[in-house]
Amino acid sequence: MRPDILFPLFFPVTMLPGIGPRIAKQIAKAAGGQVVDLCWHLPSSLIDRRLAPKIAEAPDGAVATITLTVDAHSPPHNRRLPYRVRCSDETGSLDLVFFHARPDYLKRALPKGETRVVSGRVEYFRGQPQRLQMPHPDHIVPLEERDSLRTVEALYPLCGGLTQKTIGKAIKAALETIPALPEWIEPAFLRQQKWLSWRDSLLALHAPQSEADLDTRALPRLRLAYDEMLASQLTLALTRARYRRLSGRAITGDGQLRHAALAALPFCLTKSQKQALSEITEDMKSTGRMLRLLQGDVGSGKTVIAFLSMLTAAEAGTQAVLMAPTEILARQHMATIVPLAKAAGVDAILLTGREKGKNRRNVLEGLATGETTLAVGTHALFQEDVVFADLSLAVIDEQHRFGVHQRMLLAEKGKGTDVLVMTATPIPRTLTQAAFGDMDVSRLTEKPPGRRPVDTKVLPISRVNEVVSAISRRCAKGERIYWVCPLIDESEDLDLAAASDRYDALCYILGERVGLVHGAMKGKEKDAVLARFVSGEITVLVATTVIEVGIDVPEATMMVVEHAERFGLAQLHQLRGRIGRGQRESLCLLLYAPPLGDVARSRLEILRASDDGFYIAEEDLRLRGAGEVLGTRQSGLPEFHFADLAEHSDLLGVARDDARLILECDPGLGSPRGEALRVLLYLFERDSVVKYARSG
Ligand code: ADP
Ligand code: MG
């Protein structure tokens, strides 16, 4: 239950004075529907209205707040001319100028003979100082309100038809309702940082006095960023603590199956593969629950490690499952695993949305009786009727597509099930913390030996004809080529149109050897095209980004990416990982449509110069906001209002340690500070985890 003290913050904005349904709708678009959303809506710039000169002293082009007397109204003779209101003070005169004026409004706002205070940008008409004018003043107020006008005004990002005045007023009204909250930051740390209370920090953020106050490193901003990261780290720590309390079990193998599989592998494990495998084996052996992230670039050999870990589960007489985000990937994992499983003498089955009827029933029965030891599949594995006799290890590939909740769900199909999450998107260290909290991490930092680096070139699309000739030459030598068409407008129809146009053009030149695969195709059709590409019947595969994750065709030696400037760095890096898998030299051509902006140019240059996914990820973070790096929605990264993971990474580490310490001392959040921290969790809408705080 949300604490009473927070109630006013979660009222709908229509509860604020002066906000009716029409404005509320506009506010909802720009900020959100609750009072708290207005508080989180930060100013993006400011306007200084403190300069209050006499008319004769007002500088050309300045923003000024001027007290004056209204002398005369002169409506225009002609609609193209402005409405002028002649005003003056003891030093001179000034015209207020209005285009498309509403005369009745102006007569009311500026009655003849009265004193008014106006604020806005002044200018010399035709460069003449004696002809001062102010077009469309931002504010017109009576004398009593002069002081409240002569301040620095915060300006907010707008959208949905809102005006600055409306949102400014709404935010002011919202801020008037905000309560003082109990302090959740440790007092010594608060003093050391020179931070204000939560409420004062928020008020300060909305009342910037200079550009420096708008900076991401301004003190009030740091405090709120810290609050937000603390809430997020506490959420992760609570989830983790709950997960750990669900007791684990000790899974120990005798190494027999693993030896048999290793003997069947045509290669030796790399040093970091061996390291990761021993970390996983240790975790499984311990009675605690494993929650480990296996991070490694595309092709760094994660699947083999996952499989060898699954064999340990099998040796212990239990079951293990490997879940992939797509059908294609699940099938590919299956293809890798089947020969190795055969060599080790264990049974592996596949379960995806396409297994139906009798086939599916057989699969389910095998899992339920325990006859089947290893399973590979998609989220079809989540379905309620999928029951395991004794699941001890769940491996989840490409973690970003699944939420924390789903991870738990799969683990709950067993008792004390260990979880290994694999991701091929290298995440900068700072972001790993944000996304996964204190999950244990194993990293595969080296490539298997014998890989040739991919030669990467950046070219304008105008050179596409040369590219096509290069393709013909490679085709003649039996090599395979990917041609990647980009996402346009996030609309599948348009993407498809672009890809089909390219397909037609390439067919015209290269004939029958070209294939097309895209997101709108059915699983079976896709697989059929891919199979023809694998067998070499097709040598050029035109594709939308469906090939992004996981497809493994060692003969592929060339990749063309059209509109490379529209892809994220991490995505391009993953795409490129599809080639350079065999012995031959590989070439990646990044085609762009000029003009190329500075950031886009740097990004393509980073990719040209490096093949190290971790380095690329760090650079990507440096060039862009953290959310963008992975595409926040998909990334599993929390979305922040105040915290910017690129700017505040120093605080993230502190928040993480703080969260850990808090739960060590007060796992039930029962102390006075614990109570305050509960308020913090509700404030940032982490309601669902508060119940994980152990009571008593
Ligand atoms: P990832 O899942 O990390 O993308 P995979 O496990 O699919 O990588 O491995 C990519 C390819 O490299 C596979 O064909 C695999 O058999 C091979 N491979 C894995 N480990 C090694 C190694 N140590 N030496 C040589 N080849 C390896
Ligand atoms: Mg893989």
Side-chain angles (χ1 to χ4, degrees):
M1 283 275 286
R2 181 183 290 150
D4 292 355
I5 193 169
L6 293 178
F7 275 21
L9 286 167
F10 291 91
F11 283 152
V13 294
T14 44
M15 298 282 278
L16 296 170
I19 299 183
R22 193 179 57 87
I23 293 176
K25 213 182 248 169
Q26 296 172 333
I27 289 178
K29 254 193 217 140
Q34 296 170 318
V35 171
V36 73
D37 300 318
L38 282 170
C39 298
W40 293 170
H41 197 67
L42 297 184
S44 49
S45 59
L46 50 80
I47 186 159
D48 189 339
R49 303 196 183 280
R50 286 174 300 186
L51 179 69
K54 291 289 174 205
I55 287 174
E57 291 150 8
D60 189 19
V63 172
T65 299
I66 302 179
T67 305
L68 34 70
T69 308
V70 180
D71 298 330
H73 281 242
S74 19
H77 309 296
N78 164 336
R79 281 203 52 80
R80 291 211 311 278
L81 293 174
Y83 190 114
R84 290 179 169 268
V85 181
R86 165 60 53 102
C87 305
S88 63
D89 67 6
E90 64 277 16
T91 67
S93 67
L94 174 154
D95 275 3
L96 300 176
V97 179
F98 302 88
F99 289 88
H100 308 291
R102 297 206 319 265
D104 47 334
Y105 160 75
L106 290 177
K107 293 227 165 76
R108 252 184 294 123
L110 295 160
K112 199 174 154 190
E114 299 280 314
T115 300
R116 286 289 181 268
V117 185
V118 298
S119 187
R121 198 172 291 282
V122 288
E123 61 190 28
Y124 297 162
F125 184 60
R126 295 193 175 138
Q128 300 166 26
Q130 67 280 20
R131 298 194 63 185
L132 191 69
Q133 65 178 28
M134 183 185 288
H136 294 270
D138 303 323
H139 298 278
I140 302 172
V141 299
L143 195 55
E144 312 83 88
E145 287 174 36
R146 180 170 188 265
D147 289 345
S148 64
L149 191 55
R150 265 191 75 185
T151 55
V152 180
E153 184 182 323
L155 298 181
Y156 293 93
L158 297 175
C159 77
L162 269 179
T163 65
Q164 203 51 250
K165 225 182 229 167
T166 315
I167 190 138
K169 261 194 203 151
I171 287 175
K172 197 156 164 261
L175 292 174
E176 270 162 26
T177 69
I178 65 173
L181 298 178
E183 186 55 70
W184 47 76
I185 295 182
E186 206 267 315
F189 183 58
L190 191 73
R191 270 197 305 281
Q192 185 207 337
Q193 298 297 316
K194 304 193 168 61
W195 287 343
L196 303 170
S197 71
W198 172 78
R199 184 172 184 273
D200 289 342
S201 300
L202 193 59
L203 293 177
L205 265 188
H206 284 281
Q209 294 302 301
S210 68
E211 290 292 332
D213 293 340
L214 298 170
D215 196 86
T216 48
R217 301 292 305 179
L219 287 183
R221 173 70 182 267
L222 288 181
R223 146 108 216 197
L224 284 154
Y226 186 77
D227 288 344
E228 195 169 31
M229 290 191 283
L230 183 60
S232 149
Q233 289 297 312
L234 206 51
T235 302
L236 289 166
L238 281 165
T239 312
R240 164 91 163 152
R242 166 167 182 266
Y243 184 82
R244 281 236 166 108
R245 280 205 299 281
L246 306 170
S247 59
R249 56 199 280 199
I251 298 292
T252 320
D254 57 12
Q256 273 199 21
L257 297 178
R258 187 181 284 186
H259 277 300
L262 279 172
L265 280 180
F267 50 76
C268 296
L269 298 183
T270 64
K271 223 167 94 204
S272 60
Q273 278 176 316
K274 283 185 187 150
Q275 169 78 20
L277 192 58
S278 88
E279 286 164 352
I280 295 164
T281 313
E282 281 308 307
D283 279 359
M284 290 176 71
K285 206 184 277 176
S286 89
T287 51
R289 269 202 169 193
M290 171 165 78
L291 187 53
R292 183 172 285 278
L293 181 69
L294 178 60
Q295 255 191 311
D297 235 330
V298 183
S300 59
K302 296 182 293 297
T303 315
V304 184
I305 299 308
F307 175 67
L308 293 170
S309 312
M310 291 165 80
L311 286 184
T312 300
E315 286 166 13
T318 61
Q319 293 166 298
V321 59
L322 168 58
M323 187 172 76
T326 63
E327 177 96 30
I328 293 182
L329 270 181
R331 285 180 190 279
Q332 193 173 288
H333 281 322
M334 190 65 186
T336 313
I337 282 174
V338 163
L340 295 174
K342 221 169 238 151
V346 291
D347 206 20
I349 59 92
L350 182 71
L351 183 64
T352 71
R354 262 197 271 158
E355 271 64 48
K356 295 221 170 81
K358 184 141 183 288
N359 187 4
R360 182 164 193 275
R361 274 197 301 281
N362 286 341
V363 165
L364 294 192
E365 196 180 296
L367 293 175
T369 58
E371 207 175 303
T372 306
T373 318
L374 305 181
V376 177
T378 57
H379 45 266
L381 290 163
F382 279 139
Q383 277 152 15
E384 225 168 286
D385 58 348
V386 182
V387 177
F388 292 86
D390 187 9
L391 179 67
S392 73
L393 173 66
V395 183
I396 302 174
D397 190 11
E398 304 298 349
Q399 125 77 26
H400 296 321
R401 314 257 168 140
F402 302 104
V404 180
H405 180 66
Q406 281 179 305
R407 258 187 261 159
M408 294 275 195
L409 218 59
L410 189 61
E412 279 166 17
K413 288 204 177 276
K415 283 194 208 71
T417 307
D418 287 321
V419 172
L420 178 68
V421 174
M422 304 200 286
T423 173
T425 310
I427 305 173
R429 277 190 194 281
T430 49
L431 296 194
T432 311
Q433 283 188 356
F436 306 108
D438 49 0
M439 223 166 150
D440 299 307
V441 178
S442 297
R443 291 185 144 203
L444 298 183
T445 48
E446 50 197 330
K447 296 248 154 72
R451 292 272 162 78
R452 297 255 197 124
V454 175
D455 184 14
T456 302
K457 293 200 165 77
V458 180
L459 301 174
I461 186 76
S462 55
R463 292 177 60 185
V464 68
N465 288 339
E466 291 167 53
V467 175
V468 173
S469 331
I471 287 181
S472 315
R473 283 196 300 277
R474 290 208 176 223
C475 280
K477 286 192 271 172
E479 300 182 25
R480 312 284 151 74
I481 293 125
Y482 291 109
W483 188 297
V484 180
C485 296
L487 288 172
I488 303 160
D489 278 346
E490 306 192 335
S491 141
E492 263 176 28
D493 289 349
L494 289 179
D495 293 349
L496 185 53
S500 335
D501 285 354
R502 183 53 74 194
Y503 169 71
D504 291 344
L506 288 174
C507 283
Y508 184 73
I509 300 164
L510 299 169
E512 307 260 281
R513 289 170 302 184
V514 188
L516 172 67
V517 53
H518 55 77
M521 278 164 93
K522 291 230 170 61
K524 278 209 178 120
E525 299 172 278
K526 256 189 239 174
D527 289 358
V529 179
L530 285 176
R532 289 169 65 211
F533 186 61
V534 172
S535 72
E537 201 185 318
I538 291 172
T539 52
V540 180
L541 185 66
V542 178
T544 54
T545 44
V546 284
I547 62 158
E548 186 182 334
V549 264
I551 293 176
D552 196 4
V553 181
E555 294 82 4
T557 58
M558 181 170 172
M559 173 173 288
V560 180
V561 183
E562 257 189 89
H563 278 298
E565 77 280 2
R566 291 190 191 161
F567 289 91
L569 258 189
Q571 210 179 8
L572 285 172
H573 177 64
Q574 283 213 339
L575 280 170
R576 184 173 58 179
R578 301 295 123 225
I579 56 171
R581 297 197 148 204
Q583 297 304 313
R584 282 189 263 196
E585 228 159 286
S586 295
L587 177 64
C588 176
L589 299 180
L590 303 175
L591 302 184
Y592 65 88
L596 206 52
D598 282 346
V599 171
R601 185 176 301 277
S602 319
R603 290 170 50 216
L604 294 182
E605 176 53 29
I606 288 164
L607 209 71
R608 198 192 59 71
S610 172
D611 190 30
D612 176 345
F614 289 106
Y615 168 78
I616 290 172
E618 297 286 351
E619 286 300 296
D620 200 12
L621 177 62
R622 201 174 53 75
L623 286 173
R624 315 197 287 160
E628 284 172 88
V629 173
L630 302 162
T632 310
R633 283 269 146 63
Q634 268 200 8
S635 66
L637 279 175
E639 288 181 64
F640 290 127
H641 304 285
F642 302 102
D644 175 332
L645 293 173
E647 299 276 336
H648 301 134
S649 58
D650 52 335
L651 289 177
L652 184 68
V654 183
R656 181 177 117 133
D657 294 345
D658 201 5
R660 212 184 272 173
L661 198 63
I662 289 164
L663 291 190
E664 254 168 49
C665 305
D666 182 14
L669 298 181
S671 66
R673 186 178 175 211
E675 288 292 327
L677 286 158
R678 284 169 185 261
V679 173
L680 172 71
L681 289 171
Y682 281 108
L683 176 65
F684 285 104
E685 299 177 71
R686 309 296 180 133
D687 304 22
S688 61
V689 298
V690 180
K691 64 173 182 288
Y692 296 163
R694 191 169 24 184
S695 44

